[in-house]
Structures are given as C-alpha cells and as structure tokens.
Amino acid sequence: IDVGEETPRSIASGLVPYYTLEQMQGRRLIVVCNLKPRNLVGFKSYGMVLCASSKAADGSPLVEFVDPPAHALPGDRIVGEGVVGEPYSP
C-alpha cells in the first residue's frame, strides 16, 4: 500500500471475506502506520487498514473503508478533530 514512503507497505488486512482484490486495488484509504510490525498470515504486516463495521439489514456483517479527506495525499497525516499530540513511534 502506498503510504507516501520510498516503498509501499505490506499490510495484512483480513478484508478478503468482504472485498475482492479488484475492489481494493487503487482505492484511497486510511492506514494506521504507527503500529509495531507483526507476522500475520505468512508475512510481516506494517500497518492496519482503517475500516468500520456494522450489520446489514439482513444481519450479515457490513465492513466499509473509512475514506480519507478528499484533499489528502498518500503519506499525509490525518488527525481526528480535537485530537492533539504526536503519534506513537514503535
């Protein structure tokens, strides 16, 4: 995933049950980058894709990407309204 660094990050997301590869490729999304790398599903994951979940009308799980602001570029730091301070760096 392009997060504005020299090389893209490998990130294990757990989104395969909800989205096809084609639905995820080229999509703008928010990645939480200040997490310690973890070995997941056979490779080291360097972040987390930010999603929200709820239940659809039929009771099935509904998982949706949290969209970044329209003006945000890869690598921009996105901060919630009213949040102050510096991010944690592992």
Side-chain angles (χ1 to χ4, degrees), residues 71-83:
H71 65 277
L73 300 173
D76 282 355
R77 180 176 173 210
I78 298 172
V79 180
E81 187 174 324
V83 175

Side-chain angles (χ1 to χ4, degrees), residues 13-35:
S13 68
L15 294 170
V16 170
Y18 309 102
Y19 291 95
T20 65
L21 181 60
E22 292 77 22
Q23 289 173 307
M24 290 190 284
Q25 287 181 324
R27 183 178 179 89
R28 291 173 32 89
L29 45 80
I30 296 175
V31 174
V32 179
C33 293
N34 63 340
L35 304 172

